[in-house]
Amino acid sequence: MKYNVNSVISLISRIHMQTAEFTNKMLSSHNFVSSHGFILFLLSENAEMSMGEIAKKINRDKSTTTVLIRKLIDEKLVKSASSSKDSRKKIISLTAEGKKYNNFTSEISSKLLSICYKNFSAEEKETLLNLLEKMSANLETEEAKA
């Protein structure tokens, strides 16, 4: 399909689907999906996060996030504890095993980025990032109005 400025959202959706398929294929040997990998990545960047914060970042509802987190807990990659400020709030963090597993998911991420950025200059990468951030900000502004 030939894309144009009016079908850019279709192209972004297609790229999202392709990257998820690639990630899912790479993670399938461990019975994980891309959302599991994203959660592990988020926790490697943030020592601990609440279930609500994770749900928002991965763009899933809290019940779906709970199922994803439960799988990671069962695999001993993350642990859950009650917040010291609010016992109803669950705080999620990586276990030592989860930190090791992140090396594997980092390799997948690096490979995917290498494929996506093939033949891109550093300037083109920055331009792409800036334009996508601008588009995302426009959508967030519009969401806030609704």
Side-chain angles (χ1 to χ4, degrees):
M1 174 178 185
K2 178 108 171 91
Y3 293 95
N4 61 49
V5 295
N6 294 318
S7 60
V8 70
I9 302 302
S10 246
L11 178 57
I12 291 169
S13 293
R14 183 166 191 263
I15 292 167
H16 177 264
M17 182 190 68
Q18 290 171 311
T19 59
E21 284 176 3
F22 176 89
T23 305
N24 288 339
K25 183 178 177 184
M26 300 298 284
L27 291 172
S28 66
S29 62
H30 295 267
N31 294 318
F32 292 129
V33 294
S34 59
S35 294
H36 291 117
F38 192 27
I39 292 167
L40 294 171
F41 169 75
L42 288 172
L43 291 170
S44 73
E45 298 284 306
N46 306 279
E48 49 186 40
M49 296 177 75
S50 71
M51 288 284 244
E53 290 170 324
I54 293 170
K56 186 174 181 177
K57 289 279 189 184
I58 66 170
N59 199 29
R60 299 285 186 271
D61 61 40
K62 287 183 183 178
S63 62
T64 300
T65 303
T66 299
V67 171
L68 291 165
I69 295 289
R70 194 172 296 129
K71 167 97 171 147
L72 294 172
I73 289 170
D74 291 346
E75 297 292 327
K76 299 186 179 10
L77 298 175
V78 302
K79 59 187 173 187
S80 173
S82 294
S83 167
S84 57
K85 296 175 186 168
D86 182 351
S87 61
R88 296 169 298 169
K89 195 178 205 180
K90 294 292 182 197
I91 302 299
I92 309 301
S93 59
L94 286 175
T95 62
E97 194 62 32
K99 289 175 185 173
K100 287 184 208 170
Y101 192 80
N102 254 347
N103 292 333
F104 171 67
T105 57
S106 291
E107 288 173 23
I108 293 171
S109 224
S110 293
K111 184 172 183 175
L112 180 58
L113 284 172
S114 175
I115 292 167
C116 288
Y117 285 142
K118 184 178 179 182
N119 300 321
F120 275 62
S121 69
E123 185 178 326
E124 287 172 323
K125 292 176 191 177
E126 283 299 320
T127 299
L128 176 62
L129 175 62
N130 291 333
L131 293 171
L132 290 172
E133 284 179 334
K134 189 174 184 179
M135 189 180 283
S136 180
N138 290 342
L139 291 166
E140 286 175 11
T141 300
E142 202 56 38
E143 278 179 10
K145 289 180 188 177

